[in-house]
C-alpha cells in the first residue's frame, strides 16, 4: 500500500462516520466503528512518519 493512501483512507472513514451520524442517529454504533478505524489509521500513519527510518548499517 502506498504511504499516502493510509491518511486518505483514515480521513474517508472519519467522513463516512460523520455522514452516518448526520443521516441516521440510530446507526451510531456503526458510525463509531468507522470513526475508530479512521482514527487508528491516521494515528498509525503519524507514528510511522515520526519514527526514524530503519536503515541498514554499512560495515
Amino acid at each position: 500500500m502506498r504511504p499516502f493512501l493510509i491518511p486518505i483512507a483514515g480521513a474517508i472513514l472519519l467522513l463516512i462516520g460523520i455522514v452516518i451520524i448526520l443521516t441516521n442517529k440510530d446507526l451510531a454504533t456503526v458510525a463509531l466503528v468507522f470513526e475508530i478505524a479512521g482514527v487508528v489509521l491516521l494515528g498509525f500513519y503519524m507514528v510511522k512518519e515520526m519514527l526514524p527510518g530503519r536503515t541498514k548499517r554499512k560495515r
Side-chain angles (χ1 to χ4, degrees):
M1 184 180 282
R2 296 210 164 110
F4 59 85
L5 291 179
I6 294 173
I8 292 173
I12 289 173
L13 287 172
L14 282 173
L15 288 175
I16 289 172
I18 291 170
V19 168
I20 290 173
I21 287 290
L22 291 176
T23 57
N24 189 356
K25 292 184 181 173
D26 294 332
L27 297 174
T29 306
V30 175
L32 181 65
V33 170
F34 279 107
E35 290 178 359
I36 289 173
V39 168
V40 167
L41 278 177
L42 288 173
F44 170 75
Y45 178 74
M46 288 174 56
V47 168
K48 183 180 168 192
E49 289 297 313
M50 289 190 316
L51 290 177
R54 297 182 182 178
T55 58
K56 294 183 179 179
R57 294 183 186 175
K58 293 183 180 180
R59 296 182 182 189

